[in-house]
Structures are given as C-alpha cells and as structure tokens.
Amino acid sequence: EQLALRTKDLPAVSTDEYRIRLNGNMEFPEEIPSLLAHGAEGIGLYRTEFMFLERKTVPTEEEHYRAYKQVLESMGGRPVTIRTLDLGGDKVPGKTKHEREPNPAMGLRAIRYCLANRELFRAQLRALLRASAHGNLRIMVPLISGVSELREARSELEACRTALSRAGVRIGNRIQVGIMVETPSAALIADRLAQEADFFSVGTNDLIQYTMAIDRQNRDVAYLYKPLHLAVLRSLQNIVGAAKAAGIPVSMCGEMAGDPIYALVLLALGFDELSMTAGQVPMVKNILRRSSRAEALELLNTAMELTTAEEIERHIRTEMERRF
Ligand code: PYR
C-alpha cells in the first residue's frame, strides 16, 4: 500500500523509455475507486457476465446501461474496455436453460453463446452504445476463433447503432472494437484478425488452456499449465508481431499480466498495455520502472533458447530473483 501511494501517479516506463499502460481488471462498478487509488490508467477488462451470476433473472438493457455509464463516468475519459458477455462454459446464468455440456470449455460459450442468443447480445450492445456517450469506450469480444465471428459481432453492433441513431439516441463517435486473442486459431491468424480488429487483448488463462489442451477445471492436468511453455511464448510473439505490423495496440488481461515474475518477459515481447487486479498494479509498475527493455529482450532471448517449460521457468525465476 505504501508502494501504491508512492507510485500511483508515476507512469510505467522502463529506464530506456518503453512505456506500458497499466490497466485494471474489474467485475463491478464499486471497484473503480480502489483501481484508481492503485494507479490503474484505464480499465483493460470489465467482466460484464458477473452481473448475470448469482441471480435468477436476466439483467435488463437498462441495468447494463446504468452499470456501464457509471463505470465510464467514474473513469473520466480514461479508456474503459468492456468485454461482451463471456457466458456459457463454466459460467451459466441461472435463468437460461442450458444443457450441461460434456466439454464446456470447448462448448457454446462467450461470443458463440452471444451469437446463439441474439436478443441477449443485442440488449448488451444497445446498452454499450447508449453508454458510449459518457466516456471512452472500447468493446472487446471474447473467444474469437476466426474472422467471421468478429464480422458477425460488428454487424450486430452496426445494426444496433443504426436503429438507435434513427431513434435519436446519442452515441459516442469513436468506439473501438477489439478482440480477445485466446484461442490457438486466433493466435495463428492474428495477422488477418489485426486487419479488422481495433485492438487485441490476450486472455492467457484460456490461451494457455487451449494451446496446451488442458482443461483448467481438471486438477489432474494442472501441472501442465505453464505460461512460459515455448509454445505459449511463440504464440505471444506471433500475436504481438501481428498487432505491431497492423499498427493496433496489444494488451494482455489474463492472470499472467499481473504476476510480477512475468513482467520483464511481457516488456520484452512488446505489449502496449497490461491489465490486472488493483493490488498488482504497483508491484508490476515498480519492476517495469527499474528495468530496461534492452535487458528484458536479452532475458527473453536467452530463455527462448531453452527447451522445456521447466528450464525456461527456472531461468526466468532465477534472473528475476537476482534482480528484485
Ligand atoms: C483469460 O485469460 O482467458 C481471460 O479471459 C482473462
């Protein structure tokens, strides 16, 4: 907390001037004061599905709108990245009749669920468009597996925008529409997705789960969950490279982003933004401010010469402990 107070208003910038924006992850509007107090510069991930959980009825468009408006206003013009509903899978709302799937992680979830439940999706999109007049909104679509899903989501958004405009509703004029990169297919065609998305945000929890073919709910295979597996690092390199080539910002909002042990790896990979819980912001910022991108690149290059996840992890851990 001491650190949070001291560094709250300082930028996350390396000693050789590489600037990373540190954003906050959130579920409820009540979390905003704490995020700001810890120095979050924006919202990188607002998990809207939490409004659906722990209740029996589906939230109305008005409820969505009020929550989003409150968050956008509280953030006072700072970017607010609102993720469209990531329902399905392990997050099934009480009201919706949903057959339990044998393999929910690979089932009807996130954007798939929204495209299969269009009225639910449209209610959220209308609420987002209405709220967009009150701040700096970015809409983020989860679990994109190909360009068609992004086009379909955009087309729904445009249809809602047209209808609202006709009805005289005021809508923000520069809403960014980006995607979460969290499937191996999206990572592999990141160059094509970057042509049609305004930004990327990597969801490492899912990207690692799907890349390694390990069910996050299954404890028997949890030992294979390795953020520093060479396949994950290569995948991240491809995603960041595609974003840079297309000139769009690339963020990470999975748990990997807030763990200080990975801060130099992410600095080296070239992320523009990292999003994490409020409490993680000061520590990650402190590490970034005390390091250079040049040394981070050297660390990553050496690590990626190694082969097994255990070797890479040991190397990064040793080097991080030696430095900090
Ligand atoms: C993920 O890391 O998969 C998120 O959804 C944040």
Side-chain angles (χ1 to χ4, degrees):
E1 295 308 303
Q2 286 283 313
L3 187 64
L5 280 178
R6 270 207 325 279
T7 62
K8 181 172 116 37
D9 299 315
L10 296 174
V13 61
S14 69
T15 54
D16 49 0
E17 303 290 320
Y18 192 92
R19 175 81 164 90
I20 297 187
R21 174 184 272 276
L22 299 187
N23 293 325
N25 290 353
M26 57 163 285
E27 286 149 19
F28 300 102
E30 295 72 34
E31 298 167 61
I32 300 279
S34 166
L35 283 162
L36 290 173
H38 283 85
E41 299 171 78
I43 302 299
L45 169 62
Y46 177 0
R47 299 182 171 95
T48 57
E49 62 278 1
F50 278 82
M51 206 189 303
F52 278 73
L53 307 175
E54 293 164 23
R55 58 182 279 169
K56 294 249 147 54
T57 58
V58 173
T60 62
E61 175 182 329
E62 203 56 31
E63 283 177 89
H64 280 286
Y65 168 69
R66 280 199 300 270
Y68 306 158
K69 176 171 180 279
Q70 186 186 340
V71 172
L72 284 158
E73 284 179 344
S74 317
M75 291 305 289
R78 296 180 187 85
V80 173
T81 315
I82 303 187
R83 179 171 73 183
T84 58
L85 296 166
D86 192 359
L87 290 168
D90 55 345
K91 288 177 278 192
V92 185
K95 184 75 177 299
T96 318
K97 289 232 168 39
H98 189 90
E99 296 282 298
R100 203 66 195 152
E101 294 170 309
N103 205 343
M106 296 204 182
L108 190 65
R109 51 167 295 218
I111 186 58
R112 305 167 182 184
Y113 187 94
C114 285
L115 294 176
N117 294 275
R118 299 277 173 139
E119 277 316 312
L120 184 95
F121 192 36
R122 286 173 194 146
Q124 178 173 39
L125 294 176
R126 282 192 300 267
L128 285 166
L129 288 162
R130 290 169 58 201
S132 69
H134 301 281
N136 182 354
L137 172 66
R138 299 172 178 174
I139 297 175
M140 177 160 82
V141 188
L143 207 72
I144 289 286
S145 65
V147 173
S148 304
E149 283 163 335
L150 173 57
R151 288 184 185 163
E152 196 61 31
R154 271 196 189 274
S155 141
E156 283 294 348
L157 183 70
E158 287 321 307
C160 291
R161 190 199 303 261
T162 305
L164 287 172
S165 296
R166 282 213 188 101
V169 174
R170 197 160 67 89
I171 296 168
N173 52 17
R174 45 180 205 101
I175 308 170
Q176 306 270 300
V177 180
I179 64 165
M180 292 206 57
V181 181
E182 49 188 347
T183 62
S185 59
L188 286 167
I189 60 158
D191 57 336
R192 301 300 171 86
L193 284 163
Q195 299 301 317
E196 303 193 26
D198 296 325
F199 63 88
F200 282 167
S201 187
V202 183
T204 45
N205 306 352
D206 276 324
L207 184 64
I208 296 166
Q209 153 168 268
Y210 297 125
T211 299
M212 303 294 300
I214 46 166
D215 180 348
R216 272 158 63 192
Q217 313 293 328
N218 184 339
R219 288 215 213 116
D220 294 338
V221 294
Y223 70 96
L224 286 169
Y225 186 91
K226 297 279 187 204
L228 295 178
H229 192 286
L230 195 53
V232 176
L233 293 174
R234 286 185 179 171
S235 183
L236 295 176
Q237 265 184 336
N238 194 55
I239 296 163
V240 175
K244 302 264 177 205
I248 62 168
V250 56
S251 170
M252 175 182 282
C253 64
E255 279 162 45
M256 188 178 185
D259 188 334
I261 203 84
Y262 305 123
L264 291 197
V265 170
L266 303 181
L267 170 65
L269 284 167
F271 280 89
D272 300 302
E273 307 185 13
L274 301 174
S275 194
M276 58 200 72
T277 60
Q280 292 171 321
V281 172
M283 181 78 96
V284 171
K285 185 189 283 186
N286 187 44
I287 290 176
L288 294 173
R289 288 179 56 82
R290 289 167 56 188
S291 314
S292 71
R293 177 127 197 273
E295 70 173 307
L297 280 166
E298 205 176 296
L299 174 69
L300 179 65
N301 288 340
T302 316
M304 288 185 75
E305 295 290 321
L306 302 170
T307 298
T308 68
E310 291 75 17
E311 287 163 0
I312 299 176
E313 205 172 272
R314 197 176 319 119
H315 179 68
I316 297 288
R317 211 165 272 282
T318 307
E319 287 299 311
M320 292 303 282
E321 278 162 11
R322 192 169 63 74
R323 283 178 171 79
F324 301 102

PDB file of all heavy atoms in Angstrom, residues 64-80:
ATOM      1  N   HIS A  64     -27.798  -2.989 -17.582  1.00  0.00           N
ATOM      2  CA  HIS A  64     -26.493  -2.957 -18.245  1.00  0.00           C
ATOM      3  C   HIS A  64     -26.067  -1.505 -18.438  1.00  0.00           C
ATOM      4  O   HIS A  64     -24.965  -1.106 -18.095  1.00  0.00           O
ATOM      5  CB  HIS A  64     -26.581  -3.573 -19.653  1.00  0.00           C
ATOM      6  CG  HIS A  64     -26.558  -5.061 -19.677  1.00  0.00           C
ATOM      7  ND1 HIS A  64     -25.422  -5.778 -19.450  1.00  0.00           N
ATOM      8  CD2 HIS A  64     -27.524  -5.963 -19.938  1.00  0.00           C
ATOM      9  CE1 HIS A  64     -25.691  -7.062 -19.555  1.00  0.00           C
ATOM     10  NE2 HIS A  64     -26.965  -7.203 -19.851  1.00  0.00           N
ATOM     11  N   TYR A  65     -26.978  -0.721 -19.020  1.00  0.00           N
ATOM     12  CA  TYR A  65     -26.673   0.664 -19.353  1.00  0.00           C
ATOM     13  C   TYR A  65     -26.221   1.450 -18.121  1.00  0.00           C
ATOM     14  O   TYR A  65     -25.208   2.147 -18.148  1.00  0.00           O
ATOM     15  CB  TYR A  65     -27.898   1.315 -19.995  1.00  0.00           C
ATOM     16  CG  TYR A  65     -27.788   2.813 -20.115  1.00  0.00           C
ATOM     17  CD1 TYR A  65     -26.886   3.403 -20.995  1.00  0.00           C
ATOM     18  CD2 TYR A  65     -28.588   3.650 -19.326  1.00  0.00           C
ATOM     19  CE1 TYR A  65     -26.775   4.783 -21.089  1.00  0.00           C
ATOM     20  CE2 TYR A  65     -28.477   5.037 -19.418  1.00  0.00           C
ATOM     21  CZ  TYR A  65     -27.562   5.585 -20.294  1.00  0.00           C
ATOM     22  OH  TYR A  65     -27.446   6.937 -20.375  1.00  0.00           O
ATOM     23  N   ARG A  66     -26.968   1.312 -17.028  1.00  0.00           N
ATOM     24  CA  ARG A  66     -26.627   2.074 -15.824  1.00  0.00           C
ATOM     25  C   ARG A  66     -25.239   1.708 -15.297  1.00  0.00           C
ATOM     26  O   ARG A  66     -24.460   2.567 -14.901  1.00  0.00           O
ATOM     27  CB  ARG A  66     -27.690   1.885 -14.750  1.00  0.00           C
ATOM     28  CG  ARG A  66     -28.929   2.757 -14.981  1.00  0.00           C
ATOM     29  CD  ARG A  66     -29.747   2.903 -13.708  1.00  0.00           C
ATOM     30  NE  ARG A  66     -30.215   1.614 -13.202  1.00  0.00           N
ATOM     31  CZ  ARG A  66     -31.375   1.054 -13.541  1.00  0.00           C
ATOM     32  NH1 ARG A  66     -32.199   1.674 -14.362  1.00  0.00           N
ATOM     33  NH2 ARG A  66     -31.735  -0.104 -13.046  1.00  0.00           N
ATOM     34  N   ALA A  67     -24.931   0.405 -15.314  1.00  0.00           N
ATOM     35  CA  ALA A  67     -23.612  -0.035 -14.822  1.00  0.00           C
ATOM     36  C   ALA A  67     -22.497   0.515 -15.715  1.00  0.00           C
ATOM     37  O   ALA A  67     -21.499   1.058 -15.223  1.00  0.00           O
ATOM     38  CB  ALA A  67     -23.546  -1.557 -14.766  1.00  0.00           C
ATOM     39  N   TYR A  68     -22.668   0.408 -17.020  1.00  0.00           N
ATOM     40  CA  TYR A  68     -21.609   0.861 -17.944  1.00  0.00           C
ATOM     41  C   TYR A  68     -21.426   2.374 -17.857  1.00  0.00           C
ATOM     42  O   TYR A  68     -20.310   2.877 -17.881  1.00  0.00           O
ATOM     43  CB  TYR A  68     -21.923   0.459 -19.394  1.00  0.00           C
ATOM     44  CG  TYR A  68     -22.186  -1.010 -19.587  1.00  0.00           C
ATOM     45  CD1 TYR A  68     -22.916  -1.478 -20.684  1.00  0.00           C
ATOM     46  CD2 TYR A  68     -21.709  -1.954 -18.679  1.00  0.00           C
ATOM     47  CE1 TYR A  68     -23.157  -2.825 -20.861  1.00  0.00           C
ATOM     48  CE2 TYR A  68     -21.954  -3.304 -18.847  1.00  0.00           C
ATOM     49  CZ  TYR A  68     -22.689  -3.736 -19.942  1.00  0.00           C
ATOM     50  OH  TYR A  68     -22.944  -5.061 -20.116  1.00  0.00           O
ATOM     51  N   LYS A  69     -22.533   3.081 -17.777  1.00  0.00           N
ATOM     52  CA  LYS A  69     -22.480   4.544 -17.694  1.00  0.00           C
ATOM     53  C   LYS A  69     -21.722   4.954 -16.430  1.00  0.00           C
ATOM     54  O   LYS A  69     -20.865   5.824 -16.456  1.00  0.00           O
ATOM     55  CB  LYS A  69     -23.905   5.095 -17.677  1.00  0.00           C
ATOM     56  CG  LYS A  69     -24.017   6.607 -17.491  1.00  0.00           C
ATOM     57  CD  LYS A  69     -25.474   7.034 -17.722  1.00  0.00           C
ATOM     58  CE  LYS A  69     -25.704   8.517 -17.563  1.00  0.00           C
ATOM     59  NZ  LYS A  69     -25.853   8.921 -16.159  1.00  0.00           N
ATOM     60  N   GLN A  70     -22.044   4.288 -15.336  1.00  0.00           N
ATOM     61  CA  GLN A  70     -21.374   4.602 -14.071  1.00  0.00           C
ATOM     62  C   GLN A  70     -19.855   4.404 -14.187  1.00  0.00           C
ATOM     63  O   GLN A  70     -19.071   5.239 -13.738  1.00  0.00           O
ATOM     64  CB  GLN A  70     -21.940   3.729 -12.946  1.00  0.00           C
ATOM     65  CG  GLN A  70     -21.390   4.093 -11.573  1.00  0.00           C
ATOM     66  CD  GLN A  70     -21.865   3.124 -10.487  1.00  0.00           C
ATOM     67  OE1 GLN A  70     -22.871   2.419 -10.657  1.00  0.00           O
ATOM     68  NE2 GLN A  70     -21.131   3.079  -9.378  1.00  0.00           N
ATOM     69  N   VAL A  71     -19.457   3.292 -14.789  1.00  0.00           N
ATOM     70  CA  VAL A  71     -18.030   2.998 -14.921  1.00  0.00           C
ATOM     71  C   VAL A  71     -17.363   4.014 -15.846  1.00  0.00           C
ATOM     72  O   VAL A  71     -16.307   4.568 -15.530  1.00  0.00           O
ATOM     73  CB  VAL A  71     -17.807   1.556 -15.433  1.00  0.00           C
ATOM     74  CG1 VAL A  71     -16.337   1.317 -15.750  1.00  0.00           C
ATOM     75  CG2 VAL A  71     -18.292   0.551 -14.396  1.00  0.00           C
ATOM     76  N   LEU A  72     -17.983   4.295 -16.997  1.00  0.00           N
ATOM     77  CA  LEU A  72     -17.391   5.251 -17.946  1.00  0.00           C
ATOM     78  C   LEU A  72     -17.260   6.631 -17.314  1.00  0.00           C
ATOM     79  O   LEU A  72     -16.231   7.295 -17.457  1.00  0.00           O
ATOM     80  CB  LEU A  72     -18.235   5.309 -19.226  1.00  0.00           C
ATOM     81  CG  LEU A  72     -18.035   4.110 -20.153  1.00  0.00           C
ATOM     82  CD1 LEU A  72     -19.218   3.922 -21.088  1.00  0.00           C
ATOM     83  CD2 LEU A  72     -16.749   4.258 -20.955  1.00  0.00           C
ATOM     84  N   GLU A  73     -18.278   7.046 -16.597  1.00  0.00           N
ATOM     85  CA  GLU A  73     -18.217   8.368 -15.965  1.00  0.00           C
ATOM     86  C   GLU A  73     -17.163   8.404 -14.862  1.00  0.00           C
ATOM     87  O   GLU A  73     -16.402   9.360 -14.754  1.00  0.00           O
ATOM     88  CB  GLU A  73     -19.593   8.762 -15.421  1.00  0.00           C
ATOM     89  CG  GLU A  73     -20.523   9.206 -16.542  1.00  0.00           C
ATOM     90  CD  GLU A  73     -21.923   9.580 -16.055  1.00  0.00           C
ATOM     91  OE1 GLU A  73     -22.276   9.223 -14.905  1.00  0.00           O
ATOM     92  OE2 GLU A  73     -22.648  10.215 -16.833  1.00  0.00           O
ATOM     93  N   SER A  74     -17.111   7.343 -14.044  1.00  0.00           N
ATOM     94  CA  SER A  74     -16.127   7.328 -12.947  1.00  0.00           C
ATOM     95  C   SER A  74     -14.709   7.359 -13.483  1.00  0.00           C
ATOM     96  O   SER A  74     -13.791   7.822 -12.812  1.00  0.00           O
ATOM     97  CB  SER A  74     -16.261   6.083 -12.075  1.00  0.00           C
ATOM     98  OG  SER A  74     -17.585   5.790 -11.809  1.00  0.00           O
ATOM     99  N   MET A  75     -14.500   6.807 -14.684  1.00  0.00           N
ATOM    100  CA  MET A  75     -13.148   6.760 -15.236  1.00  0.00           C
ATOM    101  C   MET A  75     -12.786   8.057 -15.945  1.00  0.00           C
ATOM    102  O   MET A  75     -11.638   8.207 -16.396  1.00  0.00           O
ATOM    103  CB  MET A  75     -12.978   5.560 -16.171  1.00  0.00           C
ATOM    104  CG  MET A  75     -12.990   4.209 -15.470  1.00  0.00           C
ATOM    105  SD  MET A  75     -11.759   4.044 -14.140  1.00  0.00           S
ATOM    106  CE  MET A  75     -10.232   3.964 -15.084  1.00  0.00           C
ATOM    107  N   GLY A  76     -13.728   8.973 -16.059  1.00  0.00           N
ATOM    108  CA  GLY A  76     -13.447  10.312 -16.541  1.00  0.00           C
ATOM    109  C   GLY A  76     -12.628  10.405 -17.831  1.00  0.00           C
ATOM    110  O   GLY A  76     -11.609  11.091 -17.843  1.00  0.00           O
ATOM    111  N   GLY A  77     -13.035   9.731 -18.858  1.00  0.00           N
ATOM    112  CA  GLY A  77     -12.352   9.858 -20.145  1.00  0.00           C
ATOM    113  C   GLY A  77     -11.209   8.873 -20.349  1.00  0.00           C
ATOM    114  O   GLY A  77     -10.690   8.736 -21.458  1.00  0.00           O
ATOM    115  N   ARG A  78     -10.801   8.170 -19.272  1.00  0.00           N
ATOM    116  CA  ARG A  78      -9.772   7.138 -19.452  1.00  0.00           C
ATOM    117  C   ARG A  78     -10.411   5.960 -20.194  1.00  0.00           C
ATOM    118  O   ARG A  78     -11.614   5.732 -20.070  1.00  0.00           O
ATOM    119  CB  ARG A  78      -9.269   6.644 -18.095  1.00  0.00           C
ATOM    120  CG  ARG A  78      -8.556   7.693 -17.264  1.00  0.00           C
ATOM    121  CD  ARG A  78      -8.119   7.056 -15.934  1.00  0.00           C
ATOM    122  NE  ARG A  78      -7.574   8.022 -15.001  1.00  0.00           N
ATOM    123  CZ  ARG A  78      -8.316   8.754 -14.172  1.00  0.00           C
ATOM    124  NH1 ARG A  78      -9.639   8.651 -14.178  1.00  0.00           N
ATOM    125  NH2 ARG A  78      -7.745   9.593 -13.339  1.00  0.00           N
ATOM    126  N   PRO A  79      -9.618   5.191 -20.954  1.00  0.00           N
ATOM    127  CA  PRO A  79     -10.206   4.079 -21.719  1.00  0.00           C
ATOM    128  C   PRO A  79     -10.844   3.009 -20.814  1.00  0.00           C
ATOM    129  O   PRO A  79     -10.266   2.630 -19.787  1.00  0.00           O
ATOM    130  CB  PRO A  79      -9.030   3.502 -22.504  1.00  0.00           C
ATOM    131  CG  PRO A  79      -7.803   4.127 -21.959  1.00  0.00           C
ATOM    132  CD  PRO A  79      -8.178   5.359 -21.225  1.00  0.00           C
ATOM    133  N   VAL A  80     -12.017   2.572 -21.197  1.00  0.00           N
ATOM    134  CA  VAL A  80     -12.723   1.519 -20.459  1.00  0.00           C
ATOM    135  C   VAL A  80     -13.048   0.395 -21.452  1.00  0.00           C
ATOM    136  O   VAL A  80     -13.822   0.582 -22.382  1.00  0.00           O
ATOM    137  CB  VAL A  80     -14.024   2.064 -19.839  1.00  0.00           C
ATOM    138  CG1 VAL A  80     -14.843   0.924 -19.225  1.00  0.00           C
ATOM    139  CG2 VAL A  80     -13.727   3.131 -18.786  1.00  0.00           C
TER     140      VAL A  80
END
